[in-house]
Amino acid sequence: MSVLASTLAEYRYQLRSNRLGLWLFFISEAFLFGGLLVARYYLWGNTRPELNQGLGLAITSILLLSSFFMNRAETAIAHEDRRTFLQSLMITAILGIIFLIGVVGFEWGGHIKPSDGAFGAVLYGMTGMHALHVLSGVVFILIVWNNGRKGGYSAERHWGVEACAIYWHYVDLIWVFFYPALYLIGSPVS
Amino acid sequence: MADVTQGSMVLVGVSMVMGIGLFLGMLVFFGLFVQRQYPPTVAEEEEEPTMDRALASRSAAYRQGALVLLGLAVLTILEYLVAVYVPSVVIILIINLAKAGLILQYFMHVSRLWSEEVH
């Protein structure tokens, strides 16, 4: 086996191990978010607090849009389109920050406080834990953007970008289940 | 109490089956209209420069992302309308599962876990 083939085989093996490791991490995280969802359905039942529906829909749309730009960034680096890659990453980070402002700045500034019984505890627990993941995702994106700016990724080797993208989509995936649980399911109680 | 639990279990089961069905339907839709990439024929290979093919492949990949976003947007609006006009937990759960399926398949590339695909 030539040195090149051996290096490529090693890289492939490493890549598969990395992917598996990342998905195992997601499974462990799913227990955390799953626990929060169970708490919501157990404590709130068929009720929910009166929340700003427009804000909920807006931040959900922003997160979905950010996922599109993250996917665009990953596709761009896989096709050596560096300009689109860097632009899309930056847009994703900005949308992530807007999402955080929507949750922390506006939703948390509403009439429900963390001390407001089950409604407050579950609302702040779920949005807080999710927001923490969004924040870490934004930091991750900015690190990848900085590495990308220095030419740290190529079409053949960009595991860092792929991991960052998958992590960001995972955060989006969690919100797909959190959004209806918080805003849509159950009768609103003032 | 037992009836309620049994009812909930049936509800979750039906939602999951319908959600998976909806996701598979969308998978077929996207498969038919997005990923229609056939290997080039000998004549095409001779005619078309490699650069053009690379650009076409890139455009197709960007288009797929845009279509998935469109699908997610439509499902989110549908979910909101269902919650407002027909507050049905089953339908909302079905829509959720379809959205999750799209994200897992097209954005998170879950199938790469059991494939030899590099990048």
Side-chain angles (χ1 to χ4, degrees), chain B residues 10-11 18-19 34 40 62 64-65 71 76 98 102 104 112 114 117:
Chain B
V10 171
L11 205 72
M18 290 181 78
V34 183
Y62 286 152
Q64 177 181 293
T76 304
L102 280 178
L104 281 167
R112 280 183 188 166
W114 45 86
E117 191 181 343

Side-chain angles (χ1 to χ4, degrees), chain B:
Chain B
M1 188 66 186
D3 285 347
V4 174
T5 314
Q6 205 173 17
S8 306
M9 292 293 282
V10 171
L11 205 72
V12 170
V14 170
S15 303
M16 282 185 72
V17 170
M18 290 181 78
I20 291 165
L22 191 60
F23 166 63
L24 288 176
M26 294 196 83
L27 208 66
V28 170
F29 172 82
F30 280 99
L32 284 176
F33 294 100
V34 183
Q35 291 184 320
R36 210 166 189 167
Q37 290 171 346
Y38 302 107
T41 59
V42 179
E44 276 173 346
E45 282 210 67
E46 282 171 1
E47 278 173 21
E48 210 178 355
T50 318
M51 195 66 180
D52 282 357
R53 241 181 293 137
L55 281 173
S57 147
R58 194 169 75 185
S59 302
Y62 286 152
R63 200 165 52 244
Q64 177 181 293
L67 274 169
V68 173
L69 174 69
L70 183 71
L72 290 171
V74 168
L75 288 172
T76 304
I77 293 166
L78 193 69
E79 183 181 31
Y80 180 76
L81 293 175
V82 165
V84 172
Y85 296 107
V86 206
S88 162
V89 179
V90 181
I91 300 175
I92 291 174
L93 284 178
I94 291 167
I95 296 171
N96 276 345
L97 288 171
K99 280 170 75 177
L102 280 178
I103 293 172
L104 281 167
Q105 177 66 23
Y106 292 104
F107 284 171
M108 296 178 80
H109 316 292
V110 68
S111 54
R112 280 183 188 166
L113 270 179
W114 45 86
S115 75
E116 289 290 328
E117 191 181 343
V118 179
H119 278 302

Side-chain angles (χ1 to χ4, degrees), chain A residues 97-171:
Chain A
I97 291 166
I98 295 172
F99 176 86
L100 278 176
I101 293 169
V103 172
V104 179
F106 291 94
E107 199 58 85
W108 286 12
H111 62 284
I112 298 169
K113 301 287 167 232
S115 54
D116 288 346
F119 279 163
V122 171
L123 177 71
Y124 279 81
M126 285 174 77
T127 54
M129 187 54 76
H130 185 264
L132 194 66
H133 282 76
V134 173
L135 182 66
S136 58
V138 169
V139 172
F140 196 173
I141 290 169
L142 292 176
I143 291 170
V144 169
W145 180 83
N146 191 43
N147 289 342
R149 198 172 53 84
K150 293 176 189 163
Y153 306 110
S154 67
E156 292 78 27
R157 293 187 179 217
H158 56 268
W159 162 246
V161 181
E162 186 184 329
C164 179
I166 297 175
Y167 180 78
W168 190 257
H169 297 310
Y170 183 73
V171 171

